[in-house]
Amino acid sequence: MFSLLYNTSIWLYGAAIRLAAPFHTKARQSAEGQRHLLASIQTRLAGNTAPVAWFHAASLGEFEQGRPVIEAFRERYPGYKILLTFFSPSGYEVRKNYAGADYIFYLPLDMPQNAKQFVGLVKPRIAFFVKYEFWLNYLQELHQRRVPTISFSAIFRPGQVFFKLYGGGYRKLLTYFDHILVQNQQSLDLLKGIGLTNLTLAGDTRFDRVAQIVANKKEIPVAQLFKGNQPLVVIGSAWQADLDVLIPFLNRFDQPLKVIIAPHEIHTDEIERWRGQLRGTSIRYSETQTSGFESASLASSTVLIIDNIGMLSSLYQYGDYAYVGGAFGKGLHNILEAATFGMPLFFGPSYQKFQEAIDLVQEGGAFPVADTAELEATFRRLYQDQAAHQKATEISRQYVLRNIGATGKVMEVIQDYSLID
């Protein structure tokens, strides 16, 4: 019965995506990505004789979480081909040309025949799933073929279906993993409580990824010139709900402050609406790249809006403060990219599903805000009290440093699977 209900829900999801495709960009990208997908995979892999390691990430955030393991695996096992799949267009469309993988595809919908055909075509010697990815048919097929299957950077909470009285089918699904590496002690205890044993408390590989970002950060001259010698707040992965709180604060703030806004999604009409609402002089990054642009216009502007994707992680190096978006909506975006450079962090109230946010709030490096008034009061306190600002800065930086190392633990686990002939 569980399998029937699960497969029906996947079929309905696929149907809904096809119906929404004419009206919704991401739905259209998903539908187009699924069209003739298995045939494309068969063509691309034809003639490959090298062993394949399959990595699957839901979206861009999970890819960044998995990237340190992908790159460590390639270094340790250079004879393998890396095949990377994404569930979401926001991952695939941004990273479809990632040089660290040999093959990059959407994941075919998790129907029994798709899973059987995909695994048969790819013939993975080992499979990795990042964080939340639990696909019944793929896991069953890998288990039946005795393919070592690893989940890493996984995190579990008491309210999830795995731990409910009616969650037997989902608990069974977890047994198809050969090893699960979890982020925190609570996750470890929950899985032990339902009888799982092949577990490791490894931490979160995102810490390793943001350490890589610091080591390989890209200089952005436009941001450096814009900042000058003034304090700067970087507003990263911002949505409209975040700007509804931020704009009134920015318009009232009467001390020197430069502002960089990096939207989570680029929509020209939305950016122009924000510019119209902001009292300070604003400029778009794309305007600084045109011929005849005068740098004086950049230096005299108070707000720089980033109208492209891919720069945010390096922009944080210029920040004295960071506000990370998403926590006035579905959930907080990546705060570690900012924390690793050391600065006080601000975000909205919906952060409880993110262990790093919980930790940093408790330690005093991050500050959740419920509205404009709370943001203004907290920001002004840190702006005016240099000692408090420096304390929050050091807390954020040290938090990242002491949590590095999860990738190495993943690599230790897979040594047991005889990947080298």
Side-chain angles (χ1 to χ4, degrees):
M1 177 60 72
F2 171 71
S3 294
L4 177 62
L5 291 173
Y6 177 91
N7 291 331
T8 300
S9 69
I10 296 295
W11 185 90
L12 290 172
Y13 171 82
I17 288 296
R18 291 190 295 273
L19 287 172
F23 314 103
H24 191 278
T25 300
K26 285 189 176 179
R28 182 165 59 255
Q29 289 172 333
S30 289
E32 291 173 353
Q34 291 289 329
R35 189 176 296 117
H36 308 304
L37 178 55
L38 285 163
S40 175
I41 293 170
Q42 182 175 21
T43 299
R44 290 280 310 281
L45 269 69
N48 176 56
T49 58
V52 173
W54 170 28
F55 288 83
H56 176 67
S59 190
L60 185 59
E62 289 77 15
F63 163 76
E64 293 296 333
Q65 206 160 19
R67 184 170 176 170
V69 179
I70 295 172
E71 294 174 359
F73 188 95
R74 184 180 283 287
E75 183 176 354
R76 180 83 59 84
Y77 303 100
Y80 274 70
K81 297 290 189 182
I82 303 292
L83 185 142
L84 173 64
T85 56
F86 289 98
F87 177 73
S88 168
S90 60
Y92 176 82
E93 296 299 331
V94 175
R95 294 301 183 204
K96 61 187 176 184
N97 297 315
Y98 168 57
D102 300 285
Y103 309 103
I104 303 176
F105 303 105
Y106 279 98
L107 181 72
L109 288 178
D110 187 27
M111 299 297 291
Q113 187 57 37
N114 286 351
K116 186 177 184 66
Q117 188 174 351
F118 176 87
V119 176
L121 290 170
V122 173
K123 298 180 178 64
R125 285 280 297 275
I126 190 166
F128 298 88
F129 292 79
V130 184
K131 195 176 181 179
Y132 287 137
E133 292 301 272
F134 310 110
W135 297 107
L136 173 63
N137 295 303
Y138 283 107
L139 291 174
Q140 282 183 332
E141 190 65 28
L142 291 165
H143 181 70
Q144 290 169 5
R145 293 174 184 251
R146 299 184 179 179
V147 177
T149 304
I150 312 297
S151 172
F152 66 87
S153 291
I155 190 164
F156 295 88
R157 301 178 184 84
Q160 289 175 305
V161 67
F162 307 106
F163 313 109
K164 302 291 187 181
L165 289 175
Y166 54 82
Y170 284 95
R171 287 191 287 276
K172 175 68 174 176
L173 179 155
L174 293 178
T175 68
Y176 297 136
F177 287 106
D178 293 274
H179 208 102
I180 301 176
L181 296 99
V182 298
Q183 291 188 29
N184 58 22
Q185 186 66 45
Q186 181 188 56
S187 298
L188 190 72
D189 293 341
L190 286 168
L191 295 180
K192 285 182 176 179
I194 59 173
L196 296 181
T197 57
N198 291 334
L199 307 169
T200 296
L201 176 57
D204 188 345
T205 52
R206 284 183 303 162
F207 290 96
D208 302 318
R209 174 58 186 150
V210 295
Q212 290 177 341
I213 289 172
V214 171
N216 300 289
K217 64 182 182 294
K218 298 176 181 177
E219 299 295 331
I220 304 175
V222 166
Q224 181 64 69
L225 180 60
F226 171 74
K227 173 181 169 63
N229 295 317
Q230 297 193 49
L232 169 68
V233 56
V234 178
I235 299 170
S237 298
W239 295 87
Q240 181 64 55
D242 299 298
L243 270 296
D244 288 342
V245 172
L246 284 157
I247 287 175
F249 157 65
L250 295 173
N251 285 343
R252 284 203 298 262
F253 195 73
D254 53 0
Q255 300 296 314
L257 184 67
K258 290 288 190 120
V259 182
I260 292 178
I261 302 174
H264 186 69
E265 295 180 347
I266 307 302
H267 302 292
T268 299
D269 55 343
E270 186 174 61
I271 289 173
E272 291 305 315
R273 184 168 64 251
W274 295 344
R275 294 181 73 180
Q277 293 170 349
L278 287 160
R279 290 180 182 172
T281 304
S282 64
I283 191 166
R284 294 171 59 161
Y285 181 85
S286 59
E287 294 173 352
T288 71
Q289 304 301 294
T290 58
S291 60
F293 173 77
E294 297 182 5
S295 60
S297 298
L298 182 64
S300 64
S301 298
T302 56
V303 180
L304 171 63
I305 301 181
I306 309 300
D307 50 358
N308 60 62
I309 297 295
M311 294 175 58
L312 177 58
S313 60
S314 289
L315 283 168
Y316 283 124
Q317 68 184 293
Y318 302 104
D320 301 288
Y321 310 84
Y323 176 98
V324 182
F328 278 98
K330 294 182 179 180
L332 181 63
H333 293 297
N334 190 342
I335 67 171
L336 295 179
E337 291 180 343
T340 192
F341 287 105
M343 65 192 78
L345 310 175
F346 300 86
F347 41 76
S350 298
Y351 68 92
Q352 292 79 5
K353 291 183 178 181
F354 302 87
Q355 187 64 47
E356 66 277 11
I358 295 170
D359 292 343
L360 280 168
V361 169
Q362 291 175 345
E363 294 184 24
F367 306 89
V369 296
D371 52 33
T372 300
E374 189 171 6
L375 171 62
E376 183 170 3
T378 306
F379 191 95
R380 283 186 182 277
R381 177 176 65 82
L382 290 167
Y383 188 95
Q384 294 165 0
D385 186 340
Q386 188 58 37
H389 177 275
Q390 186 57 37
K391 181 180 178 181
T393 292
E394 195 60 21
I395 287 170
S396 295
R397 181 183 292 111
Q398 291 300 323
Y399 176 72
V400 174
L401 289 175
R402 72 172 183 266
N403 281 286
I404 293 168
T407 298
K409 293 178 181 178
V410 178
M411 299 307 293
E412 288 176 11
V413 165
I414 68 175
Q415 287 178 356
D416 297 333
Y417 294 105
S418 302
L419 298 179
I420 298 177
D421 295 326

